[in-house]
Amino acid sequence: MNNQETLILAIETSCDETAAAVLRGEKNVLSSVVSSQVDLHKQYGGVVPEIASRAHIERIYPVVEKAVQDAGIELTDIDAVAVANCPGLSVALIVGVTAAKTLAFMLGIPLISINHIHAHLQSAMIEAEDISLPATALVVSGGHTSIYNCKSALELEPAGSTIDDAAGEAFDKVAQILNLSYPGGPSIQKAAEKGDPKAIQFPRSMLGKDSLDFSFSGIKTAVLYHCKGQNMKGSSRVGRMSEKEIADIAASFQQAVVDVLVKKTMLAAEMQNSGTVLLGGGVAANGPLREQMKQQCDKRNIRLLIAPMKYCTDNAVMIGSLAWHKYNAGLFADLDLEASSSA
C-alpha cells in the first residue's frame, strides 16, 4: 500500500471537545467531526472536569461513527487508530484512550499515541507545501504556552514554557474579571476592537534577557488591581465602567500578551537560526497575534506557517496528521496505553 493511502481514524478528547477524523495519508482529510462543550462550561467560566468527562462518554461513539460515515468508508477499512493520550485533563483523555484501544483491539490494527501539544504544531503544517525544517514552533492555548525547536514532525526539543498561567488561561481569567463571556479569547478580542491598546501600560514579563519561558500571572493580577484597587479590598469597578473603559482594558491586556508571545518567538528564531516559524493552538486564532507575528517574520524574511482557523482549537485532524508520521516510523502503542495529564 502507498503510504499516502494509509487510512487513519483519529480521536481527540483532551479537554472539552469530543473530536474524530479520518485521514488518508498525512494531509487528505476525509472527515472531521468536533462536538464542542462550550455551552456546558460557559456558566462556570471554565472547564469543569467532571462535566467534560461525562459529555465525552455520551458523545464519543456517535462522533466516531459520524466521522467514519462522513469519510465514506467502512470501519474495517481503517489501517490504524490514533488518539491523544497526553497532556490534558486525565478524566477527559481516558474516554478517548479507552475508545481508541477498544477499536484497535476489535479491528486488530495498530494503536498510535499522540502528544496533544505536538499535534497543535502539526496543524500548522497540514495545508503547507515545501516545508523547510528545523523551525521555531510556538504552541499557545488555554493550558499550554511553549516554544520548541522543531527538527521534524517527530523531533521537537522544548526550548521554553510557561512557569504559571498559560496565555489562554490568562485570557479566560481576565474575561471573567471584565464580566465578558467564556471562552475569554474571542470575547476579549471582540471587546478590544473598540479599545486603545496603549491606554494602559500592563506589565510584559520577559523573565530575563535570553529566557524563552513565559509568565502571564503578573498581567492577570495587574488587570485585577486595575479593576479592584491595588490592595484588592474594594469592590470591582467593572460594573460601573463604560463600554470604552472595558474595551481599553481588553485591548491593553491583549496587546501586552501578544507583545510577549511575538518577542519570545522572534528571540527563539534568532537563537535557533530558524527560517521558519510554526504557530498553533487555540490562541493562534487571535487576530492581532497572527498579524503581529506575520509582520515580525516578514521583517526578518522568516516563513510563517499558522494553523488554519478551523484547526486552531482542539480537533482530531491534527492528531491523525501527526499519527501518519508515527505510522510510517512504526511507532505504535501497546493496548495498555494510559492517559496522562502531563506530557
Side-chain angles (χ1 to χ4, degrees), residues 4 12 41 66 69 105 134 188 212 261 267 277 297 314:
Q4 289 296 344
E12 154 65 35
H41 302 285
K66 181 165 174 50
Q69 289 177 347
F105 176 76
I188 284 181
L212 296 180
L261 292 171
L267 174 61
V277 164
C297 283
D314 292 348

Side-chain angles (χ1 to χ4, degrees), residues 64-343:
V64 168
E65 185 177 32
K66 181 165 174 50
V68 172
Q69 289 177 347
D70 288 355
I73 63 168
E74 299 294 330
L75 199 57
T76 51
D77 295 329
I78 298 294
D79 296 302
V81 181
V83 63
N85 75 305
C86 71
L89 293 173
S90 294
V91 291
L93 287 165
I94 286 170
V95 179
V97 169
T98 301
K101 290 196 295 186
T102 302
L103 288 166
F105 176 76
M106 181 181 74
L107 297 169
I109 57 178
L111 174 69
I112 302 172
S113 63
I114 295 295
N115 181 304
H116 169 85
I117 301 306
H118 295 178
H120 269 305
L121 294 178
Q122 181 67 20
S123 69
M125 299 185 276
I126 289 174
E127 296 185 352
E129 301 294 336
D130 303 318
I131 300 168
S132 177
L133 298 177
T136 293
L138 173 67
V139 175
V140 54
S141 66
H144 307 275
T145 304
S146 302
I147 291 178
Y148 294 87
N149 181 9
C150 179
K151 295 184 175 181
S152 74
L154 300 179
E155 295 177 282
L156 292 103
E157 293 182 351
S161 62
T162 181
I163 64 171
D164 43 54
D165 292 350
E169 186 180 0
F171 269 93
D172 286 340
K173 288 178 177 177
V174 168
Q176 271 191 306
I177 294 169
L178 298 179
N179 295 332
L180 299 174
S181 63
Y182 173 84
S187 62
I188 284 181
Q189 181 176 332
K190 184 176 180 181
E193 290 171 359
K194 298 179 180 179
D196 177 4
K198 297 180 180 178
I200 306 156
Q201 283 302 306
F202 288 126
R204 287 145 170 83
S205 179
M206 300 304 289
L207 300 175
K209 183 170 174 268
D210 295 322
S211 173
L212 296 180
D213 288 329
F214 298 91
S215 172
F216 295 108
S217 179
I219 187 172
K220 173 200 68 181
T221 302
V223 173
L224 197 57
Y225 284 162
H226 185 83
C227 295
K228 295 191 70 172
Q230 197 63 26
N231 59 11
M232 289 197 299
K233 290 183 179 178
S235 60
S236 173
R237 298 185 295 111
V238 173
R240 302 189 299 277
M241 288 181 182
S242 66
E243 183 181 352
K244 180 65 167 66
E245 285 180 283
I246 290 176
D248 283 347
I249 295 171
S252 298
F253 162 78
Q254 177 177 256
Q255 188 59 56
V257 172
V258 169
D259 282 349
V260 171
L261 292 171
V262 173
K263 286 179 182 178
K264 293 274 188 179
T265 305
M266 292 303 101
L267 174 61
E270 181 183 333
M271 292 169 69
Q272 297 169 1
N273 194 27
S274 298
T276 304
V277 164
L278 307 177
L279 176 60
V283 182
N286 181 271
L289 174 60
R290 295 169 84 95
E291 293 165 15
Q292 198 165 313
M293 193 74 80
K294 185 177 187 308
Q295 289 171 1
Q296 294 303 315
C297 283
D298 287 349
K299 188 183 294 186
R300 294 165 173 79
N301 197 29
I302 293 174
R303 184 185 184 191
L304 174 63
L305 300 178
I306 309 179
M309 294 292 282
K310 61 185 175 182
Y311 297 142
C312 284
T313 52
D314 292 348
N315 64 88
V317 171
M318 65 185 190
I319 304 299
S321 184
L322 181 54
W324 179 81
H325 290 274
K326 297 191 79 169
Y327 182 91
N328 288 335
L331 299 174
F332 304 134
D334 295 328
L335 288 177
D336 62 357
L337 177 70
E338 294 184 358
S340 173
S341 60
S342 58

